[in-house]
Amino acid sequence: MKKKNLLYSLYSAAFIGMCLVPSALMPFVKADDSKEKRKAADAPKLTDEDGKLNFSFFQDFENYFSDHFAFRQQLVTADGRIKTAVFGTSPNKNVIAGKDGWLYYGETLDDYLHINTLSDRSIENIRYNLDMINDYCTEKGIQFVFTVAPNKNSVYSQYMPSHYVSSGQPGNYERLAKSLSSKSYWADMKITLQNTSSGVPLYHKTDTHWNNMGAYVGHTRLMTALGMDSCPAGTSWYTKNNDRLGDLAAMIYPAEDAKDTQVHNDYQFTYTYRGAFHRLDDMTIKTVCSGKEGNLKMFRDSYGEAILPYMAECFGTAEFSRFVPYELYSVSDGAVIIEIVERNMGDLQKYAPIMQAPVAELTGISPTLYSGNDISAKTELNGGMTHIFGELPEEFFGEGFTEIYVTSGETTFRAFNCFEDKLLGREDEVSDRGFSLYLPPEQSPTDGIITITAVSSGGKAVAADIQL
């Protein structure tokens, strides 16, 4: 009996000791949390910024401990391997565990299911905003191309978990593609990728993005839209190496060097970088290519990293920018490409590009005067221009599509239908009633008063004077 009690005691002591190891070694074993694409909790403080007692101390301590205990990454990795292999689920809400080892980004799920979609007005707002960009570029002799890089599960849906079933309604991409189908500047990337047959997938299995082959297919689609040849033309893909660190795998297997397959070709690129260059995710990258002609300004996101070498090889000078809003005022010639990933399409209704608002004429319109005081309007200086932005009440909108105009002094300008959520102090909110435009210094409202006029295609017109 004593021997049995001793074994129980030893077992209990060993179990408690194992539980205490992560706590006891926490000051000595540091983990790199960069792979998990999130910021670890800061150490808790007894007082807040005002010097008062921090009543959230114990909650802060719990969060800090959860992010910093010893061997956390090893335990998270073990948990991830067990859940994906045995249960087919992911321990991280930002990662979807698919079939055959495929991983998908959690933020793409609504797009995949075609739920929580943008309003019809939002889709038309995006179409209208892109038309305005195209008109601006055309007036300056600049060729404009717009494309959406599809989410991985839009191209490789067969590896998504079977219990995720689409609503059967058109998604944001399909609705916008239909709205842009007649536009010469629209490059439908989803159709191109879906119709491309290749010996290997065009996207990484354990990463959010397309691989080099997918990027090359995307490059050829953009060059076709520009009426130019691809660079290189007809490249031969010849090697596959496990040398790509998958960003999704790193989030659920942080202790592993989880490499994914990358495709390489034998082409020797000749372009060079101008100025400082660190990595392909730099906010601004400039290139030159000897023997090539033309200028390119490409506004891109992380999908633009793999495509950058091919685009840089085709132009005498090129600039690749990740800055938002798009600085269109800095472009004077050549070609402009805007690329945005499918899951972020709604941002095209948020941040108006920095460019001088086009002048417009309002003739034959007798708007109803709005007497309410609930119009949100603000102003700031940006790019040497006055940025005016805000949100209109629903009363300004009628049947059909609504265009918004701003009159400053004696001149009327056309506004982008953009809701500047961050500048309005309403980050991550969505509204299809926003307006945003940039006025040159000589046209800025000297008395701080502007007139906003909303004109719908159904014949409704509403106007209001606003003190900024």
Side-chain angles (χ1 to χ4, degrees):
M1 187 68 178
K2 291 183 178 180
K3 185 176 181 180
K4 190 174 183 179
N5 289 337
L6 177 61
L7 290 175
Y8 280 144
S9 299
L10 291 174
Y11 175 82
S12 300
F15 178 79
I16 294 172
M18 290 177 63
C19 292
L20 290 176
V21 166
S23 301
L25 296 182
M26 190 168 72
F28 309 103
V29 179
K30 302 298 182 181
D32 177 15
D33 60 356
S34 60
K35 287 186 177 182
E36 298 181 61
K37 305 294 182 182
R38 66 184 185 86
K39 184 181 182 301
D42 295 326
K45 297 181 180 180
L46 289 173
T47 57
D48 57 22
E49 295 178 354
D50 299 326
K52 298 180 180 179
L53 186 63
N54 179 18
F55 290 101
S56 301
F57 176 83
F58 291 104
Q59 180 62 53
D60 294 344
F61 178 81
E62 180 181 346
N63 295 336
Y64 176 77
F65 178 79
S66 297
D67 283 352
H68 294 275
F69 62 81
F71 307 114
R72 180 184 182 280
Q73 289 191 336
Q74 287 77 6
L75 294 172
V76 168
T77 298
D79 180 55
R81 284 298 180 188
I82 292 172
K83 286 183 175 178
T84 55
V86 179
F87 303 104
T89 60
S90 168
N92 189 318
K93 65 179 181 180
N94 290 321
V95 180
I96 299 171
K99 304 171 185 176
D100 195 25
W102 281 69
L103 301 177
Y104 297 91
Y105 192 32
E107 289 189 9
T108 65
L109 187 56
D110 282 358
D111 287 326
Y112 178 75
L113 298 176
H114 293 184
I115 61 173
N116 299 322
T117 53
L118 296 169
S119 68
D120 290 341
R121 184 190 294 166
S122 293
I123 294 295
E124 283 304 290
N125 283 345
I126 294 173
R127 188 270 311 161
Y128 180 74
N129 294 337
L130 291 170
D131 281 351
M132 285 184 62
I133 293 175
N134 183 59
D135 292 344
Y136 177 84
C137 290
T138 300
E139 184 178 338
K140 292 181 173 294
I142 299 169
Q143 189 172 3
F144 172 56
V145 172
F146 168 71
T147 194
V148 175
N151 300 330
K152 184 167 69 174
N153 47 19
S154 292
V155 180
Y156 293 100
S157 59
Q158 64 268 37
Y159 300 109
M160 279 287 287
S162 301
H163 59 272
Y164 289 128
V165 180
S166 171
S167 68
Q169 300 298 315
N172 289 331
Y173 189 105
E174 290 71 26
R175 294 161 65 214
L176 181 61
K178 181 178 179 181
S179 181
L180 298 178
S181 59
S182 63
K183 308 296 182 181
S184 60
Y185 61 77
W186 165 236
D188 192 334
M189 195 65 70
K190 183 180 290 190
I191 294 296
T192 299
L193 293 168
Q194 289 176 337
N195 292 340
T196 298
S197 59
S198 60
V200 296
L202 304 178
Y203 282 65
H204 295 287
K205 290 180 65 173
T206 64
D207 191 276
T208 313
H209 306 88
W210 51 25
N211 56 28
N212 286 340
M213 184 178 290
Y216 180 74
V217 172
H219 158 73
T220 58
R221 179 65 183 90
L222 293 176
M223 297 306 292
T224 298
L226 291 171
M228 299 174 61
D229 293 330
S230 303
C231 297
T235 184
S236 58
W237 302 93
Y238 75 107
T239 58
K240 294 188 295 182
N241 295 326
N242 289 329
D243 55 5
R244 167 78 181 198
L245 180 62
D247 59 359
L248 298 175
M251 293 169 68
I252 57 176
Y253 315 132
E256 296 181 4
D257 194 15
K259 292 297 180 66
D260 201 340
T261 301
Q262 180 60 289
V263 186
H264 302 275
N265 64 65
D266 56 359
Y267 181 81
Q268 299 298 314
F269 290 97
T270 62
Y271 74 89
T272 57
Y273 296 103
R274 288 189 296 156
F277 171 78
H278 302 95
R279 302 184 306 180
L280 287 174
D281 64 352
D282 287 352
M283 294 301 294
T284 299
I285 297 175
K286 297 181 179 181
T287 64
V288 294
C289 190
S290 178
K292 299 297 173 63
E293 298 179 352
N295 304 317
L296 170 68
K297 182 69 175 281
M298 184 171 181
F299 299 98
R300 52 94 180 192
D301 50 27
S302 58
Y303 273 74
E305 293 181 20
I307 207 173
L308 185 150
Y310 308 114
M311 304 304 298
E313 189 74 3
C314 290
F315 291 88
T317 61
E319 180 177 346
F320 304 86
S321 174
R322 297 186 65 179
F323 283 104
V324 178
Y326 306 133
E327 297 176 342
L328 283 175
Y329 71 90
S330 64
V331 185
S332 58
D333 59 9
V336 166
I337 295 175
I338 292 179
E339 172 273 317
I340 190 170
V341 67
E342 180 180 353
R343 67 176 184 271
N344 291 334
M345 278 172 42
D347 289 353
L348 296 168
Q349 187 192 224
K350 282 188 175 182
Y351 314 115
I354 305 176
M355 54 171 257
Q356 183 173 321
V359 176
E361 290 187 9
L362 289 176
T363 57
I365 296 175
S366 300
T368 301
L369 296 180
Y370 182 72
S371 58
N373 58 1
D374 54 347
I375 299 176
S376 171
K378 294 186 178 182
T379 182
E380 64 162 2
L381 293 177
N382 195 334
M385 292 181 283
T386 300
H387 184 198
I388 301 173
F389 53 95
E391 182 186 32
L392 297 178
E394 185 61 39
E395 287 82 355
F396 277 77
F397 298 84
E399 294 182 2
F401 181 71
T402 298
E403 299 179 0
I404 301 173
Y405 301 87
V406 171
T407 301
S408 174
E410 300 297 322
T411 308
T412 298
F413 301 89
R414 190 184 300 271
F416 282 95
N417 288 22
C418 285
F419 174 72
E420 304 274 358
D421 62 330
K422 293 180 181 179
L423 296 178
L424 290 169
R426 296 163 61 182
E427 187 169 1
D428 295 329
E429 288 189 34
V430 177
S431 172
D432 54 19
R433 296 181 281 109
F435 66 92
S436 181
L437 73 164
Y438 291 83
L439 302 185
E442 64 274 14
Q443 299 289 356
S444 299
T446 55
D447 56 1
I449 298 177
I450 60 172
T451 300
I452 297 181
T453 306
V455 182
S456 69
S457 58
K460 182 178 181 179
V462 182
D465 293 330
I466 299 175
Q467 177 71 53
L468 296 173

